[in-house]
Amino acid sequence: MTKTREILDGVKCGDISIDDAERYFAGVPFEEMDYAKLDFHRKVRTGFPEVVFCQGKDDDFLVSIYKKILEAEGCVFGTRATQDQYEMLSGKLQGVSYDRISRILRVGEFADNKVGCVAVCCAGTADIPVAEEAAQTAEYFGTKVERIYDVGVSGIHRLLSKTDILQKANCIIAIAGMEGALASVIGGLVSNPVIAVPTSVGYGANMGGLSALLTMINSCANGVTVVNIDNGYGAGYVATQINRLAVGREDKSQLERRQYE
């Protein structure tokens, strides 16, 4: 439950005065910390709280940021964290968890209930760190995720055996390095959006993921869009937005059908 809804419920129940509520909404919607400005109004505007990009942050800054967000939101989600950052932060805060594959560093849960369906596919086992960043981001924000790993086009029968899952998903995230062909193949199999994620996995001419990125941008399949190289978080975020729209549409259709029964 957002702080905004808590305030509004308090006004409705008579626990909070209109004047107190007005003072809350008139306040600055971010926390000034000199080295950071934490956007606590973001969840109200977008439906998603601010997420911490941990890579490169000073330890003291990271601790203070996590403490402030946890105090305000009740949970914190961070990406691109290191084992050292986890060990340091776990000594300062309770309930810190770290996944070494996705490098996600989190405290608490944003959404207990997982709805809809997003399929997260990756071409090879080496792509799983990016895939897990995408999958765990979507799950944190309330999306039910189906994982389909190691289904690259060099053994396309492995992917085709999962066509039923792909076609039922509200959105598919296709993650691949090397030549990045997976997204185009999936795009030709499904009616719902495909989010392509190029990875830096590959030999020299892969150019750190640039070859996969160019392949995905130039896909001949319709309905394929592309995020940045290795950006599993960005893909999981957009997939959740699409999934929320699809779930909302399904709920509306079910309500309309019940009205005519």
Side-chain angles (χ1 to χ4, degrees):
M1 181 181 294
T2 67
K3 184 69 173 178
T4 299
R5 182 169 289 275
E6 290 175 1
I7 296 293
L8 294 174
D9 285 341
V11 172
K12 182 179 179 180
C13 297
D15 296 331
I16 298 175
S17 70
I18 292 176
D19 288 342
D20 286 342
E22 188 175 39
R23 278 192 290 272
Y24 168 77
F25 290 119
V28 178
F30 64 88
E31 177 84 17
E32 175 63 70
M33 300 178 67
D34 293 332
Y35 50 83
K37 293 174 177 60
L38 302 183
D39 186 5
F40 294 132
H41 197 256
R42 186 174 303 185
K43 187 164 59 176
V44 177
R45 300 192 313 271
T46 69
F48 295 83
E50 184 167 14
V51 166
V52 182
F53 184 76
C54 299
Q55 184 177 315
K57 280 188 170 56
D58 178 84
D59 285 353
D60 291 338
F61 293 168
L62 191 65
V63 170
S64 296
I65 289 168
Y66 264 70
K67 284 182 176 179
K68 285 287 186 181
I69 295 178
L70 186 61
E71 179 183 345
E73 307 283 5
C75 55
V76 196
F77 189 84
T79 64
R80 300 302 169 94
T82 65
Q83 180 72 29
D84 288 342
Q85 286 175 321
Y86 161 64
E87 292 173 359
M88 178 275 301
L89 197 63
S90 61
K92 307 286 186 180
L93 294 173
Q94 296 292 320
V96 180
S97 64
Y98 178 67
D99 180 68
R100 64 179 181 80
I101 296 175
S102 65
R103 293 187 287 167
I104 287 172
L105 182 62
R106 57 194 284 186
V107 185
E109 284 286 341
F110 177 74
D112 293 325
N113 295 325
K114 308 296 186 284
V115 299
C117 180
V118 165
V120 177
C121 309
C122 71
T125 304
D127 299 310
I128 288 178
V130 178
E132 276 302 307
E133 184 179 71
Q136 291 184 38
T137 296
E139 287 175 331
Y140 181 77
F141 289 130
T143 297
K144 187 180 295 183
V145 172
E146 290 278 358
R147 290 165 169 80
I148 304 174
Y149 291 171
D150 196 24
V151 287
V153 298
S154 62
I156 201 167
H157 56 290
R158 300 172 299 178
L159 175 67
L160 297 178
S161 70
K162 304 295 184 180
T163 302
D164 58 333
I165 298 174
L166 297 175
Q167 292 178 342
K168 290 176 183 177
N170 292 324
C171 177
I172 299 94
I173 299 175
I175 300 163
M178 302 290 185
E179 84 295 344
L182 180 66
S184 292
V185 174
I186 292 176
L189 295 174
V190 301
S191 62
N192 286 325
V194 176
I195 302 170
V197 187
T199 74
S200 51
V201 172
Y203 296 104
N206 170 262
M207 294 179 286
L210 186 58
S211 63
L213 173 65
L214 293 175
T215 296
M216 291 170 172
I217 288 175
N218 287 284
S219 174
C220 63
N222 296 315
V224 176
T225 190
V226 188
V227 299
N228 206 348
I229 297 168
D230 291 336
N231 189 12
Y233 167 75
Y237 186 107
V238 175
T240 296
Q241 290 180 308
I242 294 169
N243 186 61
R244 287 179 180 180
L245 290 172
V247 170
R249 186 175 65 241
E250 292 168 1
D251 290 345
K252 183 179 179 181
S253 297
Q254 291 173 3
L255 178 61
E256 290 173 347
R257 282 197 299 271
R258 286 198 295 270
Q259 289 174 343
Y260 290 101
E261 289 177 352

